[in-house]
Amino acid sequence: MSSLFGSLGGASSAAAAPPQTSTATAANPLAASSLFGAPAASQPNNQTQAQAAPTSQAQQNAQSAPSSHAPAGNSQSAYFDSLLERSRKRKNGKDSGVDLGDLPSLQLGLGDIAQRVRQLGGSHASPVPGNGVDSKAHYLLAASGISPGSALRDLDKLDAGSANAAVLAQPPAFDADNAAYVSNLQSQSTLALIEEGLSRAARDFDRYLEQNVTMEWDAQRRRIYEHFGLTAKVGDGDGRDARSSAFGLTESGSFGRSRRGQGNKASSSRAGTPSKASVSGMSSLQRSVIGTPARSGVNQTSLFADVAEKATGAPQAGVDDRFLRDKQAKFADQVQLLNESRLQGKVYPILREFGSVERQAGGDQTSQLVDAYRALIEIVREDPSAKAVSDPNASRERQFAGDYLLDENQSRKTVAMNRRILDGSRRFLEKSFFQSLEATVARNPREARLGGVPTTLNKVRAYVTLRAAKRDLAPENTDLQSLGMEYCWVIIFFLLRSGFLRDAVEYVKENATAFRVIDRNFPTYIANYYKNESRRLDDNLQDRINAEYNQRTRIAPENSIDPYRMACYKIIGRCDLNKRSLDLVGQGIEDWIWLQFSLAREAQRLDEPAGESFGATEVRAVIREIGQRYFVKGAADAPGGYGTYFLLQILGGMFEQAIAYLYSFSYVSAVHFAIALDFYGLLRVSDFTASESELLTFTTRDMPQVNFGRMLGYYTRDFRAAKVEAATDYLTLICLNGDLPGAAGQSQTSLCHEALRELVLETREFAKLLGDLRPDGTRIKGAIELRLQLIKPADPDDFLRTITMQAASVAEDNGRTTDAVLLYHLAEEYDNVISIINRALSEAISVDVGQEPVTLQPLKSRAPPSAAATGTSSATPTPPEPASAPKETSLSLTSVDDAATLARNMIGLYNSKAMYFSKIKQMNRDACGVLLRMSEAKQHVEQGRWAEALDIIDSLSILPLRAGGQIYLIRNSAQAFTQLPPTVARNIGNLLMWTITCCGRQRDVLRSSAFEDPTKERMKEELAGKARDLMVYAGLVRLRLPPRVFEVIARAGQEVESW
């Protein structure tokens, strides 16, 4: 080998100084080759020679010491001095920032090195043929991002490594001992087999990583940047965000998912369904629909970013609060009854039922929340007497969706919807006032002096009398006009305030003579007002009443006009809309709100004069201004609390804003208000992919919308682990929005399906959700199948099969055998059932005799968990199953934890019916039968019943127990080994050990017998012959057996004296 320094120190010197040679080689394995590709020449540089002199002298001394027979001490001293000097040079090189770890040691000065570099540069600069082509190639590669120098160095390293490997590879030494040679050959074969198994496992693992766990780092990094606001969100072609959630409609793979190897899925045994894909073909590893499981007591207001910002300082009760859990349980019962009514085609008064639950639950804002339900009842006109959907007075599901969800503010349907909301809210306020009026009269019967028939008019008279006795009708020195012994204008006003317009008209007619003297025009005004359905006066009467009102307001002296008379004029004639309040009339916030709704009229803007334009839009602006001023910034200190502002928003038809506002204070109440509104089509819902972290968003036309699906999914976090049926009922309600036009409806339906799929995979309540098996193999419908009519899948059978296959795939991957068996059976994949059972049996058989057996995780029972198990009190009963749900519990799989028992149950079921039997491959059926017999043999071995175990093993016809020493029969059995199913072949080693052990133990039994006879001797000889045949068989298949098994078989054979 050539030295770095050319002829300085030849081969003899290298051989004479082994310490130096070994040290240099250890410092750098590549020191044998020249660094610059050419032998180094000596340079006449005095400075370089002076610098290199000590080292050269030390090296010459170290090299010449052995040849000159110098003392050993001097040679060792010179050698160590040389090492010390070289180590100093290496240290100086590292301190200067140059890493010389990969370079050989240099014995030249800096001047020599610089001169040689200049020479090399000059030699390379000389023109050579084709240099221009090489330069162009270099430029082309550099422009493409390829460094030719780096590539060349990498190739040189590969060549050097292969050369070193070739040098290191030495042929094995010849051994004349045949026994040692055979033993060495056997060891090498065993090691090669082990190495092959490891490499196969590594390849399988790499293939699994490529197909399942390969991360798409670029997409994940982009999503992280977008999440923290480092880059702008990038939408796909449909305007949806590329980082869609679990419902995401994009093809950009989610974190942890790979699109590689998709072509192999057609050959999978789980036909037709990707193992991790969602129901609608979307990724299941993107953002969840129902949220991750959370411990009890987690505040749900932090789940939405916009709600969390507004919820500061507004604490909510945790789920551990007993009253809150009772409230949730009662609401869950009502939601279940709602779905049952929908399935049966019955009318369900959802607003009245939810309102009764809210009333029973109690709380600091219960009265306002109950009033909100009552207001919605007036808007919807919900009639509890209606029983069937076909009844004319019945309120039907999604009744107002077509009118409310329109984006046109001035369309005919929108105007009609706004008019309905204004009229319903006004009726609610009027009925509430009359109820308080009756309660006040009932509390003060002596002062009210009701007497006579308790008609509406008499009750109002009694109320006016009571108020007059308390002197709170008007301020002092106010002239109240009277008619006989009563204040006529006050009575008319309170009749209007209570909503009894007809009674007011009748009262005026009864006193027509007196009113001709007091105000001859008013009877005409109120009669025309009553006859007009839209509560408007004719144009000429409107002009006259405005003129009279303005004249009296400007000319009349102070306190000379009855304020209730002016209030009646203002209400009937909508006079002076710029001032929407009543002077000198004592009124609270309810009276003021009622006045706004009484003055509001909804009509086409083009048909209404500019001065009379005051409708639903203006009312909502007033409510919004009140909220900004009194409630949004300090809801805790606002008059009446958050419930008052919520009620105002409901009255104004601001349903989406009301739900988002209430959610920050009481998410349980907000969720059920949203359900009730969405049931009647009075809630605008957002697309799941458009609003991932916000509850309230706005459309391009500034229309509010609520993230209804995510809100329901998050709500089920509190109880879905213990009450999966209740969670199913809530998630089913997402499909209420499936009637939306176009892609919006399909999106909501797919969102519901995705939520149910996540519920199945998370809770593992497969028996309750997907179904179970009776002992005879018939199917018990699960909660999802019972609600298929409400879930609205395009193909119910395909939907159930898809979600069942996905759950089965996850259960199989997680090693939950009983779950996978049940789910594949429900999906009618009977061959997969037997395949899974075979694997479970094979694993159970592979456990050594005497060790703890493998037990299966039993399937969760259909029976509802006890209160102690779920951590709930007795006051929170589990919602009952629907009436149509069967009450049977699973008798076949729930309590099975033994693989053999499970296999017998399923094989017995499949053998009883041809429809099952015909769908199972013959190879899997045979393998299952063999494994069951092997399991029985193992049980006999564990119990010490050697003869019975041998009989079972002999009946399998796998081992050459009947060969009788004939080698060709043994060889035939060994050749048949390759035809065995893998689940059977992996246990052949154990079967051999059991058989040889049984032969030896049975011989011992016969040998220990008190009597000797020819039959026993013949049996002992047969057992010994069988053992010898098994040893020959084991030798033929030894490469297919684990080394430990072959050693155990050899020892067992020696004990049996089979050699």
Side-chain angles (χ1 to χ4, degrees):
M1 292 185 294
S2 60
S3 172
L4 178 65
F5 300 100
S7 61
L8 184 60
S12 60
S13 300
Q20 182 178 356
T21 305
S22 61
T23 304
T25 305
N28 191 349
L30 302 179
S33 60
S34 175
L35 179 64
F36 303 106
S42 119
Q43 301 297 328
N45 191 325
N46 295 333
Q47 183 177 359
T48 304
Q49 291 176 359
Q51 294 175 352
T55 305
S56 301
Q57 185 65 32
Q59 183 179 5
Q60 290 177 3
N61 293 338
Q63 294 174 352
S64 62
S67 61
S68 60
H69 305 282
N74 294 337
S75 62
Q76 292 179 359
S77 175
Y79 170 69
F80 288 117
D81 289 341
S82 173
L83 292 179
L84 179 62
E85 184 65 18
R86 292 168 64 188
S87 66
R88 289 174 179 173
K89 289 184 178 181
R90 290 180 184 275
K91 181 179 180 181
N92 294 335
K94 291 181 180 179
D95 293 342
S96 62
V98 180
D99 187 7
L100 301 178
D102 296 335
L103 298 178
S105 58
L106 300 177
Q107 301 288 339
L108 299 178
L110 296 178
D112 272 345
I113 295 174
Q115 187 172 1
R116 292 187 181 185
V117 168
R118 286 194 296 271
Q119 291 178 357
L120 290 173
S123 62
H124 284 293
S126 58
V128 293
N131 189 31
V133 177
D134 293 342
S135 301
K136 292 180 180 179
H138 279 74
Y139 283 124
L140 179 61
L141 292 175
S144 302
I146 301 175
S147 175
S150 301
L152 181 60
R153 285 193 296 271
D154 294 340
L155 293 175
D156 290 340
K157 290 181 180 179
L158 291 175
D159 293 339
S162 61
N164 291 338
V167 172
L168 293 177
Q170 298 293 336
F174 176 75
D175 194 347
D177 189 357
N178 292 336
Y181 176 76
V182 172
S183 176
N184 185 26
L185 182 61
Q186 182 178 1
S187 300
Q188 290 180 0
S189 301
T190 302
L191 293 176
L193 185 62
I194 295 173
E195 184 178 359
E196 181 183 357
L198 293 176
S199 61
R200 187 187 305 111
R203 289 194 302 271
D204 294 341
F205 182 71
D206 292 340
R207 190 181 305 110
Y208 175 80
L209 289 180
E210 280 198 21
Q211 294 178 356
N212 299 279
V213 196
T214 302
M215 309 298 182
E216 296 187 358
W217 296 112
D218 294 337
Q220 177 63 10
R221 182 171 60 251
R222 175 177 51 77
R223 285 193 290 271
I224 293 174
Y225 287 169
E226 293 176 359
H227 174 74
F228 289 102
L230 301 178
T231 58
K233 294 183 179 181
V234 180
D236 59 6
D238 296 333
R240 299 184 180 90
D241 188 9
R243 55 185 182 96
S244 301
S245 55
F247 181 49
L249 300 173
T250 69
E251 293 184 0
S252 61
S254 59
F255 179 72
R257 299 291 300 143
S258 174
R259 294 189 297 272
R260 298 182 182 180
Q262 299 298 323
N264 303 0
K265 290 186 177 179
S267 60
S268 174
S269 61
R270 296 165 244 166
T273 305
S275 61
K276 297 293 190 302
S278 68
V279 176
S280 49
M282 297 170 252
S283 173
S284 63
L285 293 182
Q286 297 179 353
R287 190 161 186 175
S288 173
V289 176
I290 61 178
T292 57
R295 60 179 179 84
S296 298
V298 174
N299 190 354
Q300 294 210 13
T301 58
S302 59
L303 300 176
F304 294 101
D306 55 342
V307 177
E309 294 177 359
K310 300 176 183 178
T312 304
Q316 288 199 5
V319 180
D320 291 333
D321 186 358
R322 181 172 62 87
F323 297 102
L324 183 59
R325 287 187 283 115
D326 291 347
K327 183 177 179 180
Q328 286 183 323
K330 293 176 182 177
F331 270 125
D333 293 341
Q334 297 302 323
V335 171
Q336 181 181 2
L337 293 175
L338 168 64
N339 285 332
E340 288 183 1
S341 300
R342 296 172 62 200
L343 288 172
Q344 299 170 6
K346 297 181 180 179
V347 175
Y348 182 78
I350 183 172
L351 294 172
R352 294 183 183 275
E353 298 297 337
F354 281 12
S356 63
V357 172
E358 196 71 54
R359 186 184 301 106
Q360 296 171 11
D364 54 345
Q365 302 290 323
T366 300
S367 60
Q368 289 90 341
L369 298 180
V370 173
D371 288 343
Y373 277 113
R374 291 172 53 203
L376 289 174
I377 290 174
E378 293 298 330
I379 294 173
V380 175
R381 289 300 186 103
E382 188 178 82
D383 188 357
S385 63
K387 300 301 181 182
V389 180
S390 58
D391 293 346
N393 57 340
S395 297
R396 292 174 293 277
E397 177 182 332
R398 306 290 291 176
Q399 180 176 352
F400 307 104
D403 298 341
Y404 180 80
L405 301 180
L406 291 177
D407 290 338
E408 293 82 3
N409 291 328
Q410 291 301 314
S411 67
R412 181 177 56 84
K413 292 183 177 180
T414 304
V415 171
M417 191 70 238
N418 289 334
R419 185 181 298 119
R420 187 184 189 97
I421 293 174
L422 293 176
D423 294 343
S425 300
R426 188 186 68 253
R427 284 194 303 270
F428 160 74
L429 293 171
E430 292 169 350
K431 289 183 178 181
S432 298
F433 174 77
F434 188 70
Q435 290 176 358
S436 64
L437 182 149
E438 290 181 317
T440 303
V441 171
R443 286 195 303 267
N444 303 276
R446 180 174 300 179
E447 293 84 355
R449 294 178 294 177
L450 177 58
V453 180
T455 60
T456 302
L457 181 60
N458 289 335
K459 290 180 181 180
V460 172
R461 282 171 175 163
Y463 180 74
V464 172
T465 302
L466 178 61
R467 292 281 299 271
K470 294 182 178 180
R471 298 180 182 275
D472 61 350
L473 284 176
E476 296 183 1
N477 301 325
T478 302
D479 185 14
L480 295 180
Q481 196 168 7
S482 61
L483 182 62
M485 298 298 295
E486 58 190 20
Y487 301 111
C488 58
W489 294 111
V490 178
I491 292 176
I492 294 174
F493 173 78
F494 282 118
L495 285 173
L496 294 176
R497 176 67 180 87
S498 302
F500 297 105
L501 179 58
R502 181 177 180 179
D503 293 318
V505 174
E506 294 294 335
Y507 177 76
V508 173
K509 287 182 179 180
E510 291 176 1
N511 301 276
T513 304
F515 271 98
R516 290 193 192 98
V517 178
I518 298 173
D519 191 338
R520 62 179 182 180
N521 293 325
F522 183 77
T524 306
Y525 296 151
I526 193 170
N528 186 268
Y529 180 81
Y530 173 69
K531 292 178 181 179
N532 195 318
E533 294 182 357
S534 60
R535 296 295 183 262
R536 289 177 179 271
L537 297 178
D538 296 339
D539 293 341
N540 57 342
L541 295 179
Q542 184 68 49
D543 296 337
R544 286 168 55 185
I545 196 172
N546 284 335
E548 291 184 22
Y549 181 85
N550 295 330
Q551 184 178 7
R552 287 192 175 93
T553 303
R554 291 195 305 266
I555 299 176
E558 186 178 358
N559 296 333
S560 63
I561 302 178
D562 191 337
Y564 287 93
R565 179 181 182 180
M566 302 304 295
C568 292
Y569 267 74
K570 191 175 191 67
I571 293 169
I572 294 174
R574 302 178 71 229
C575 303
D576 193 11
L577 290 178
N578 294 326
K579 184 180 181 181
R580 296 183 299 276
S581 60
L582 302 177
D583 296 334
L584 304 178
V585 175
Q587 58 178 349
I589 185 173
E590 295 86 357
D591 299 322
W592 184 84
I593 292 296
W594 169 80
L595 179 62
Q596 311 306 308
F597 283 94
S598 296
L599 297 178
R601 299 289 186 274
E602 188 67 19
Q604 296 287 345
R605 297 296 182 181
L606 299 177
D607 301 338
E608 192 172 18
E612 299 181 7
S613 177
F614 183 76
T617 304
E618 288 73 19
V619 171
R620 290 165 186 165
V622 171
I623 295 175
R624 194 176 299 109
E625 182 181 356
I626 294 174
Q628 293 293 336
R629 182 178 300 180
Y630 298 105
F631 292 95
V632 174
K633 295 183 180 179
D637 301 331
Y642 64 87
T644 302
Y645 186 50
F646 172 74
L647 177 59
L648 289 177
Q649 289 177 312
I650 292 294
L651 292 174
M654 305 166 62
F655 302 134
E656 293 81 11
Q657 296 92 328
I659 296 301
Y661 177 76
L662 181 61
Y663 193 88
S664 60
F665 299 95
S666 177
Y667 69 89
V668 177
S669 299
V671 166
H672 292 89
F673 266 105
I675 291 173
L677 290 169
D678 194 58
F679 178 77
Y680 286 118
L682 294 176
L683 191 71
R684 190 175 286 104
V685 298
S686 61
D687 186 4
F688 183 80
T689 60
S691 55
E692 294 185 1
S693 59
E694 294 182 350
L695 178 60
L696 180 67
T697 55
F698 293 87
T699 65
T700 55
R701 297 191 178 185
D702 202 29
M703 304 297 290
Q705 54 186 1
V706 171
N707 199 336
F708 183 71
R710 186 180 291 279
M711 181 173 61
L712 287 184
Y714 284 166
Y715 176 72
T716 60
R717 293 172 18 133
D718 294 345
F719 54 85
R720 64 176 178 243
K723 304 175 183 179
V724 290
E725 291 94 344
T728 305
D729 281 320
Y730 278 96
L731 296 179
T732 300
L733 296 175
I734 300 177
C735 266
L736 284 172
N737 303 291
D739 60 349
L740 296 177
Q746 298 177 3
S747 174
Q748 295 296 321
T749 303
S750 300
L751 178 62
C752 174
H753 299 169
E754 183 72 9
L756 292 173
R757 184 193 69 86
E758 292 184 11
L759 178 68
V760 171
L761 298 181
E762 178 188 313
T763 60
R764 276 191 59 235
E765 295 285 356
F766 303 125
K768 293 181 180 180
L769 295 175
L770 298 178
D772 205 349
L773 296 177
R774 295 187 181 93
D776 58 354
T778 56
R779 178 171 182 167
I780 302 174
K781 292 184 178 181
I784 295 178
E785 187 173 359
L786 291 173
R787 294 161 178 82
L788 280 179
Q789 182 180 345
L790 307 180
I791 298 172
K792 304 174 183 177
D795 187 349
D797 295 335
D798 182 69
F799 169 75
L800 279 177
R801 187 179 184 279
T802 301
I803 195 172
T804 305
M805 287 291 293
Q806 290 168 1
S809 175
V810 173
E812 182 183 359
D813 293 341
N814 295 338
R816 300 196 296 268
T817 302
T818 53
D819 292 345
V821 166
L822 171 64
L823 294 171
Y824 276 127
H825 178 84
L826 295 178
E828 299 181 358
E829 291 289 334
Y830 307 122
D831 190 64
N832 280 344
V833 171
I834 301 302
S835 298
I836 294 173
I837 290 176
N838 289 346
R839 288 199 296 269
L841 271 176
S842 180
E843 293 176 2
I845 294 172
S846 64
V847 178
D848 293 339
V849 175
Q851 294 185 359
E852 184 178 359
V854 175
T855 58
L856 304 178
Q857 185 177 4
L859 189 72
K860 289 188 177 182
S861 174
R862 289 178 55 85
S866 61
T870 58
T872 59
S873 63
S874 59
T876 58
T878 302
E881 292 186 354
S884 57
K887 302 298 182 183
E888 298 91 345
T889 58
S890 174
L891 301 178
S892 57
L893 298 178
T894 51
S895 59
V896 175
D897 58 357
D898 179 64
T901 305
L902 178 63
R904 293 189 189 97
N905 292 342
M906 300 308 299
I907 285 295
L909 172 64
Y910 291 163
N911 289 337
S912 63
K913 293 185 179 181
M915 60 173 294
Y916 301 145
F917 190 84
S918 60
K919 295 183 179 180
I920 303 174
K921 296 179 181 178
Q922 181 66 37
M923 181 180 64
N924 288 336
R925 290 200 302 266
D926 296 341
C928 187
V930 170
L931 290 171
L932 279 175
R933 298 290 289 169
M934 291 175 67
S935 178
E936 294 178 7
K938 181 181 179 181
Q939 292 179 357
H940 289 308
V941 171
E942 291 175 343
Q943 297 170 2
R945 304 169 64 179
W946 317 114
E948 291 83 349
L950 281 174
D951 291 341
I952 294 176
I953 296 174
D954 188 19
S955 66
L956 297 177
S957 302
I958 296 178
L959 301 180
L961 293 179
R962 300 183 181 182
Q966 301 181 23
I967 193 64
Y968 76 93
L969 295 178
I970 302 175
R971 187 178 294 108
N972 291 340
S973 298
Q975 292 175 353
F977 186 93
T978 58
Q979 306 298 327
L980 295 176
T983 53
V984 176
R986 63 175 295 187
N987 290 291
I988 295 299
N990 293 330
L991 191 65
L992 277 170
M993 290 190 295
W994 303 338
T995 309
I996 294 177
T997 301
C998 288
C999 291
R1001 298 299 175 85
Q1002 185 64 22
R1003 286 191 67 198
D1004 294 340
V1005 171
L1006 295 176
R1007 190 181 295 118
S1008 62
S1009 177
F1011 301 98
E1012 295 288 341
D1013 56 28
T1015 303
K1016 292 182 180 180
E1017 292 296 330
R1018 187 177 69 255
M1019 293 177 62
K1020 287 192 291 184
E1021 291 297 329
E1022 289 179 358
L1023 291 174
K1026 290 179 179 180
R1028 285 191 293 270
D1029 293 344
L1030 292 177
M1031 292 302 301
V1032 175
Y1033 175 82
L1036 294 176
V1037 297
R1038 67 179 184 275
L1039 296 181
R1040 304 180 187 275
L1041 300 178
R1044 183 187 66 85
V1045 174
F1046 190 78
E1047 294 174 2
V1048 173
I1049 292 174
R1051 287 197 300 269
Q1054 293 176 0
E1055 294 176 0
V1056 181
E1057 301 177 0
S1058 59
W1059 292 107

